[in-house]
Amino acid sequence: MGDPIQLKDEGNKHFQAGDIDKAIECYTNALKECTDKKMQAVIYRNRCACYLKKESYSNAVSDASKAIDEDASDIKALYRRCQALEKLGKLDMAFKDVQRCATLEPKNKTFLETLRRLGAEIQAKLKTTFSTDSRVQNMFDILLDEDMDKEKKEKAANNLIVLSREDAGAERIFQNNGVALLLNMVETGKPEMILAAVRTLSGMCTGHKARAMAIVNMMGIDKICSIMALDNEEIALAACNLFQCINDSLTGGDTRDYGKEASLVLDASKDLKTILLALLEMISNKKVSGHGRDQALNLLTKNVPSKDKKGRDHSRTLFTIDHGLKKILKVCGQVPELPDQLPLTENTQLIASVLLNKLYEDLKCDPERANFKEICDQYIKSKIDPNNMDKTLHAINTMSGLLQGPFEVGNSLVGQQGVMEMMVALCSSERDVDQMVAVEALIHASTKMSRASFFITNGVSLLKDIYKKTKNEKIKIRALVGLCKLGSAGGDDYGLRQFAEGSTEKLAKQCRKWLCNPQIDSKTRKWAIEGLAYLTNDADVKDDFVEDELAMKAMFELAKSRDKTILYAVACTLVNCTNSYDKKEIIPELVQLAKFSKQHVPEQHPKDKKDFIEKRVKRLLKAGVISALAVMVKADSAILTDQTKEMLARVFLALTEDSKDRGAIVAHGGGKALIPLALEGTEKGKVKASFALAKIAAVSNPEIAFPGERVYEVIRPLVSLLHTDKEGAENYEALRGLTNMAGFSEKLRVKMVKEKALPEIENHMFEENEKIRLAAVECMCNLVTCKEVQARYLEDGNDKLKLLVLLCGEDDEKLQIAAAGGLAMLTAAEKKLCTKMTRVTVQWLEILQRLCLHTNPSVQHRGLVIVYNMLNSDDFELAKKLIESEMLEILTVIGKAEDNPKRQDPIDVARTCLVKAMDLGLVKPFTSPS
């Protein structure tokens, strides 16, 4: 083979002559013969140069690395590896190599130039890699690549959705032909692709009117409707959200100033009208799935009735009644057991009833209401046909829908001649479906006491007869619910029991039996809960129900199911079991007067007393009521009405009564579930939910009870409870909740200031009620570390600081601790407040001395910290005044005391004060005579 040095030299000659292949051959042979490590490193470095010429960059990196392994400061090998790495696109690694070269030879211009150039290229690459445009294109490439693996597609879809929620990202998607690419994703027909596309479009439409209008015109409303019509619950919900985002942006969700372009963008009335007509068309279209129909009805319920009751514009409601009322009634009248019906879910008809109710409530005058009734009347009359029982059933079911919605309308129709007789006649029909529809209509019709009394005399025997004779469980259970409803017509009044002693308990027992039977379908078991919702007005039934853990768990499982028509019945049952309904105050004098005049006096059942209620609450919590409530609150459906939300809030408030139970409530998601109830619903419901939130916030770690950003949503409901029109207990719990939260983070304190909590807290600091006043002062004590709060105390023309100083002089130790703690933190943060404190009241020194002489070390410690802050305030005259007073003697006595673990904090601060006084030259150190 030959000498390795000779072979190396030959390789060098071939390289200089430009014969690279021959050079590589020589260097390779030399390496085989060579045993000297240093010589090997030189040969590897030379062969690396050959590979660079041949553009074989991976081999060049490998050879250079072997040379560097032998000699880490081999500058030629480092630079050649840098060149090869740059060509391979590994700029960061190349940058490190040339950086090392520049360190070894700092004056080498080649290295410095390469270092600068690579630095710039890395920045440019980073910018390109992370720029929105390339990210968008990259995501679409992955999503529309048939061969790409599922995990990468899912990640790309999620990234695209997240990107669309940022305004810059949404704009880049839009500008890069995003809408067309998203439509391509929809056209694949794959559910996960459609879902990602629709959610991305929702992000793009949020809060941007111009973009929303452009997307509507590029896609077409019919296309969005066809996506929502698919028989896929997730896709239907996503398309519903897209429509909602479009609607919000077109009706005021966009606050941008478009300047001269405003006239091109702002008239969205045509698009809104087209959307409304398309939704109305969807609800009666056979090609639309049940989920799609539900979402179309949900959108109408949310967006058609006017939200502002004062001077409201209800033109959309009138338009909907004219163009769509009959279509909504058609949905209500569907009988799923009959052939050729519209596709429905278990929730569709109740959502339609809620929509009818909202439309009727939005009408302003009698002629409008009369027109609504007339359309309903004509529709039902057109369906009643003695020769066609299926059509007649449609009419009866439509009335059931109206009775569950605008009861006044349904009631007037049921009261017409012949309607009741027709229902009774259907009850005795041989067809099961006839009996089922008729019994349901009778149940809904007997809502009012007057009508229930009519049924008690005429309908009880009919229902009992059906109950005994029918073999169909579905009809049997409905007949039983009718009997339950009639049996509870007296509410919780013990003296107005409709049936004989023990009858209601028997009915309830049968309901519980059906409820616990898994062989019966959930739609039928739902009626068992309807029965219990009525029967639990009776305290004996409540007690029996909570003793039956299996029945409770069965109800909670049904409450978590997809069937949302059950929500109201479950909420009613829970309100009854916890006695969380409004109770009329019984005035003894009026009771005596009523008895004297032989009027009926409501009687309380012995089992409706406090100790029985507490036991029931404990049993409900043990059975898992909180997890069921948390699921019920999340129901994204019009069926979750404001009235239902109020009932759920009442139940939560009853469950949070005992502070020992609140930890378990938080652990099962009760804290999070309360937030939406406190923000939306009836005024009474929001107050009840806020009160329950306050109770939880007062004793829980906010970061655990309300994880993530949720914690900031809790502040507003709590602040709303501070208003003077709220009850004292609500004020007190809200203050305790805010105190706890203010102690956790600066962000929460700033949020409280933004929500205007300070004036309300300050008002309560003047409160006569000692508990409320203490809670307010403690809350303020936790807020004073916030800069905005300190600024308010620095302002002139108010008595904020004076009040805090005077509260330090109160006899209540807890109040002194809170007030003095607040004052200590304020004077430490703002030195100007030390001087201001002496001007707000002449009693300041006396109060300060009392604090420093207090027997409670916590109070004494806070007083001494205030003294130190005043000595450290850069106001020499103030410090001098303090030391010339009796304060020096107080400090000396405390400072000279022997160390005591129980009082060490005050002793240490007193000694620090004396040292500070010596530093200021106000006290001379004691020296003994020589």
Side-chain angles (χ1 to χ4, degrees):
M1 289 284 288
D3 179 43
I5 296 173
Q6 193 180 342
L7 286 166
K8 177 188 78 90
D9 292 340
E10 279 182 29
N12 292 349
K13 286 176 186 174
H14 287 305
F15 181 81
Q16 285 162 4
D19 193 348
I20 306 301
D21 290 331
K22 280 276 186 187
I24 291 171
E25 187 181 332
C26 288
Y27 292 139
T28 306
N29 290 332
L31 285 167
K32 287 175 185 174
E33 298 296 320
C34 186
T35 53
D36 184 334
K37 294 279 185 187
K38 286 188 177 179
M39 178 57 69
Q40 280 181 346
V42 173
I43 299 168
Y44 275 125
R45 185 179 69 198
N46 290 355
R47 193 170 71 172
C48 169
C50 296
Y51 283 135
L52 280 172
K53 290 278 186 186
K54 294 281 288 180
E55 296 182 8
S56 180
Y57 301 117
S58 295
N59 287 331
V61 169
S62 176
D63 277 4
S65 297
K66 285 169 185 172
I68 293 162
D69 286 345
E70 180 57 35
D71 180 8
S73 59
D74 187 336
I75 204 160
K76 285 184 180 178
L78 280 165
Y79 189 67
R80 284 170 189 170
R81 187 170 73 174
C82 159
Q83 289 174 302
L85 286 167
E86 183 185 353
K87 294 293 183 183
L88 288 170
K90 296 178 181 179
L91 299 183
D92 49 342
M93 292 168 74
F95 185 82
K96 284 178 185 175
D97 280 350
V98 77
Q99 205 171 30
R100 178 91 177 113
C101 293
T103 307
L104 293 168
E105 286 187 25
K107 292 182 180 178
N108 187 311
K109 288 183 180 179
T110 306
F111 295 160
L112 292 172
E113 176 56 30
T114 308
L115 191 68
R116 186 199 60 73
R117 180 172 52 76
L118 281 177
E121 280 179 29
I122 287 168
Q123 289 301 317
K125 188 181 177 184
L126 283 171
K127 200 172 180 181
T128 306
T129 305
F130 292 107
S131 74
T132 313
D133 286 7
S134 67
R135 279 165 72 197
V136 169
Q137 196 55 53
N138 190 30
M139 285 171 214
F140 277 121
D141 289 345
I142 293 168
L143 287 165
L144 294 168
D145 184 350
E146 289 289 330
D147 302 322
M148 192 63 67
D149 65 84
K150 192 180 176 184
E151 197 176 321
K152 279 190 176 178
K153 283 192 170 189
E154 281 179 9
K155 193 175 179 184
N158 288 331
N159 288 342
L160 200 60
I161 295 162
V162 170
L163 196 62
S164 71
R165 288 172 184 163
E166 303 163 12
D167 193 52
E171 190 57 31
R172 294 325 306 156
I173 296 170
F174 185 76
Q175 296 293 346
N176 285 342
N177 197 29
V179 179
L181 291 166
L182 289 165
L183 278 170
N184 288 348
M185 286 169 65
V186 171
E187 295 305 325
T188 63
K190 294 175 182 174
E192 65 277 7
M193 297 286 274
I194 298 171
L195 209 52
V198 173
R199 286 173 176 166
T200 304
L201 287 163
S202 297
M204 291 167 70
C205 290
T206 302
H208 199 297
K209 191 170 186 176
R211 200 158 54 225
M213 288 181 78
I215 288 169
V216 165
N217 288 301
M218 289 165 84
M219 283 190 75
I221 290 163
D222 289 344
K223 183 66 185 174
I224 305 172
C225 288
S226 70
I227 296 169
M228 195 160 82
L230 295 171
D231 192 13
N232 181 306
E233 190 174 4
E234 264 196 300
I235 291 172
L237 185 60
C240 169
N241 186 48
L242 171 55
F243 264 130
Q244 190 59 53
C245 293
I246 291 168
N247 181 78
D248 291 346
S249 293
L250 300 190
T251 55
D254 183 3
T255 53
R256 271 176 198 76
D257 179 12
Y258 285 99
K260 292 177 182 178
E261 294 174 25
S263 56
L264 300 173
V265 174
L266 298 181
D267 187 18
S269 55
K270 188 181 174 185
D271 285 331
L272 288 167
K273 187 178 175 181
T274 311
I275 290 170
L276 181 53
L277 284 168
L279 292 173
L280 290 171
E281 189 59 41
M282 276 187 81
I283 58 176
S284 61
N285 188 336
K286 272 191 180 177
K287 291 178 183 176
V288 175
S289 70
H291 298 302
R293 204 176 316 283
D294 283 4
Q295 298 308 336
L297 289 163
N298 276 330
L299 282 165
L300 291 167
T301 306
K302 193 169 182 182
N303 299 302
V304 171
S306 50
K307 293 176 181 70
D308 179 22
K309 297 298 174 190
K310 291 178 183 175
R312 62 181 189 264
D313 171 22
H314 69 321
S315 56
R316 280 176 304 178
T317 296
L318 297 175
F319 182 85
T320 304
I321 289 168
D322 288 343
H323 293 83
L325 181 54
K326 288 180 180 176
K327 291 172 181 175
I328 304 165
L329 292 171
K330 182 179 178 180
V331 173
C332 287
Q334 298 298 297
V335 182
E337 290 77 10
L338 295 177
D340 201 33
Q341 302 292 297
L342 295 174
L344 307 174
T345 70
E346 53 272 19
N347 302 318
T348 312
Q349 287 172 296
L350 190 54
I351 301 172
S353 293
V354 171
L355 173 55
L356 288 171
N357 191 48
K358 293 250 183 184
L359 294 173
Y360 189 71
E361 282 180 348
D362 201 38
L363 299 176
K364 288 184 177 179
C365 57
D366 288 344
E368 288 174 358
R369 286 187 269 276
N371 176 54
F372 188 99
K373 287 178 187 175
E374 180 63 27
I375 295 170
C376 294
D377 187 33
Q378 291 299 324
Y379 181 83
I380 287 168
K381 280 179 180 171
S382 71
K383 297 296 175 186
I384 294 174
D385 183 351
N387 301 318
N388 187 336
M389 195 52 75
D390 288 0
K391 276 185 80 177
T392 304
L393 280 184
H394 183 87
I396 300 293
N397 226 24
T398 306
M399 270 191 277
S400 280
L402 285 164
L403 287 162
Q404 290 175 85
F407 183 81
E408 185 187 325
V409 178
N411 204 24
S412 67
L413 294 172
V414 170
Q416 287 181 1
Q417 192 176 0
V419 174
M420 273 297 172
E421 290 79 359
M422 185 169 58
M423 287 187 191
V424 172
L426 281 170
C427 286
S428 55
S429 168
E430 289 179 8
R431 280 204 316 177
D432 286 349
V433 68
D434 297 347
Q435 289 186 31
M436 200 153 62
V437 169
V439 171
E440 280 188 30
L442 285 170
I443 293 166
H444 296 310
S446 62
T447 296
K448 286 203 174 174
M449 186 79 175
S450 57
R451 195 162 293 286
S453 57
F454 163 80
F455 277 113
I456 288 161
T457 53
N458 299 284
V460 172
S461 56
L462 176 68
L463 290 170
K464 280 183 178 176
D465 203 38
I466 294 170
Y467 180 70
K468 286 172 186 173
K469 287 180 181 178
T470 186
K471 289 178 182 176
N472 186 322
E473 291 280 313
K474 292 181 180 181
I475 297 167
K476 198 182 264 288
I477 199 167
R478 284 163 172 77
L480 182 76
V481 171
L483 290 167
C484 293
K485 196 167 185 179
L486 300 175
S488 65
D492 68 344
D493 185 349
Y494 189 48
L496 269 183
R497 302 180 105 190
Q498 300 294 336
F499 294 155
E501 191 75 40
S503 294
T504 46
E505 286 93 316
K506 283 179 187 174
L507 291 171
K509 191 175 180 182
Q510 185 58 52
C511 283
R512 296 205 311 272
K513 189 177 168 186
W514 269 319
L515 182 57
C516 296
N517 187 348
Q519 262 75 49
I520 300 173
D521 66 281
S522 60
K523 195 175 179 184
T524 306
R525 287 164 68 205
K526 174 192 84 177
W527 282 94
I529 300 175
E530 290 274 353
L532 287 167
Y534 298 119
L535 292 175
T536 45
N537 277 310
D538 185 303
D540 285 317
V541 174
K542 298 178 204 184
D543 247 38
D544 291 343
F545 178 62
V546 296
E547 292 287 336
D548 188 344
E549 195 169 333
L550 283 174
M552 281 195 290
K553 286 185 173 176
M555 181 174 85
F556 298 153
E557 284 309 309
L558 280 173
K560 295 175 189 176
S561 70
R562 285 164 60 180
D563 184 352
K564 301 304 172 194
T565 58
I566 208 166
L567 294 178
Y568 188 78
V570 174
C572 278
T573 307
L574 292 172
V575 164
N576 289 338
C577 288
T578 55
N579 283 48
S580 48
Y581 40 74
D582 285 331
K583 300 166 195 76
K584 287 182 182 175
E585 190 182 349
I586 297 173
I587 301 164
E589 293 82 358
L590 289 179
V591 171
Q592 292 300 321
L593 189 64
K595 283 180 179 176
F596 179 74
S597 59
K598 295 182 180 176
Q599 295 292 316
H600 172 72
V601 179
E603 294 176 48
Q604 188 186 36
H605 195 292
K607 289 184 178 177
D608 273 335
K609 289 181 179 170
K610 194 177 179 183
D611 52 341
F612 281 95
I613 298 167
E614 285 171 1
K615 282 178 190 171
R616 290 201 288 269
V617 164
K618 300 285 181 194
R619 286 190 170 275
L620 284 167
L621 285 166
K622 189 184 172 188
V625 67
I626 297 297
S627 57
L629 288 169
V631 173
M632 290 165 75
V633 169
K634 288 178 187 169
D636 190 11
S637 168
I639 293 172
L640 186 64
T641 59
D642 288 349
Q643 287 71 26
T644 310
K645 286 178 188 173
E646 183 185 319
M647 287 197 288
L648 295 176
R650 287 174 182 276
V651 174
F652 265 119
L653 184 55
L655 296 171
T656 54
E657 188 63 35
D658 187 346
S659 58
K660 291 173 191 168
D661 296 328
R662 293 173 199 167
I665 290 168
V666 166
H668 290 94
K672 287 185 289 182
L674 271 165
I675 297 170
L677 294 178
L679 297 172
E680 292 176 5
T682 64
E683 280 308 310
K684 198 174 275 188
K686 288 193 283 187
V687 170
K688 301 273 182 196
S690 300
F691 194 10
L693 264 181
K695 288 186 172 193
I696 287 172
V699 297
S700 309
N701 179 335
E703 290 163 352
I704 295 170
F706 319 108
E709 296 297 307
R710 286 283 177 86
V711 70
Y712 301 104
E713 294 176 48
V714 179
I715 304 296
R716 185 174 295 172
L718 264 56
V719 172
S720 72
L721 289 183
L722 297 179
H723 300 325
T724 48
D725 61 339
K726 299 292 185 291
E727 291 181 13
E730 292 165 353
N731 297 156
Y732 175 67
E733 291 293 354
L735 286 164
R736 287 183 68 220
L738 289 168
T739 303
N740 189 24
M741 295 177 82
F744 268 85
S745 79
E746 180 66 12
K747 270 189 172 182
L748 283 169
R749 291 190 282 274
V750 170
K751 177 71 174 168
M752 288 177 201
V753 174
K754 281 183 181 174
E755 292 294 343
K756 299 183 171 60
L758 285 181
E760 300 290 349
I761 296 166
E762 285 160 359
N763 282 342
H764 289 299
M765 287 169 75
F766 290 96
E767 180 66 54
E768 287 180 16
N769 183 298
E770 290 178 6
K771 277 188 167 184
I772 294 175
R773 182 172 58 164
L774 173 61
V777 177
E778 286 176 341
C779 190
M780 187 58 76
C781 177
N782 279 2
L783 282 169
V784 293
T785 55
C786 182
K787 287 286 180 191
E788 285 91 337
V789 179
Q790 292 164 12
R792 286 173 76 95
Y793 276 90
L794 281 166
E795 288 169 6
D796 291 324
N798 64 63
D799 290 333
K800 292 177 177 51
L801 191 63
K802 181 179 180 179
L803 175 63
L804 210 54
V805 175
L806 294 174
L807 286 170
C808 290
E810 291 286 324
D811 294 330
D812 183 341
E813 279 188 15
K814 286 183 179 176
L815 191 62
Q816 281 183 302
I817 288 171
L823 199 55
M825 286 188 278
L826 279 169
T827 49
E830 291 289 348
K831 291 181 178 181
K832 289 179 184 176
L833 288 174
C834 296
T835 310
K836 186 178 178 182
M837 186 180 139
T838 63
R839 296 200 304 265
V840 292
T841 173
V842 292
Q843 295 170 282
W844 69 272
L845 188 55
E846 182 191 335
I847 290 168
L848 201 52
Q849 287 171 351
R850 277 185 65 192
L851 290 176
C852 294
L853 289 168
H854 208 285
T855 53
N856 185 327
S858 294
V859 178
Q860 188 179 39
H861 179 221
R862 285 160 174 76
L864 289 163
V865 169
I866 297 167
V867 172
Y868 174 76
N869 292 338
M870 295 176 92
L871 291 171
N872 194 40
S873 66
D874 302 336
D875 185 340
F876 183 78
E877 289 303 314
L878 172 58
K880 188 179 176 185
K881 191 171 183 178
L882 268 178
I883 296 302
E884 286 174 354
S885 72
E886 292 172 4
M887 188 59 75
L888 177 59
E889 191 179 339
I890 295 167
L891 292 171
T892 307
V893 170
I894 300 168
K896 280 185 176 179
E898 290 183 14
D899 286 358
N900 179 349
K902 290 182 180 177
R903 308 190 72 88
Q904 198 58 45
D905 286 341
I907 292 167
D908 289 345
V909 178
R911 289 170 183 171
T912 309
C913 288
L914 289 167
V915 170
K916 185 67 186 175
M918 282 191 274
D919 291 346
L920 291 169
L922 296 169
V923 177
K924 290 182 181 176
F926 177 76
T927 52
S928 56
S930 56

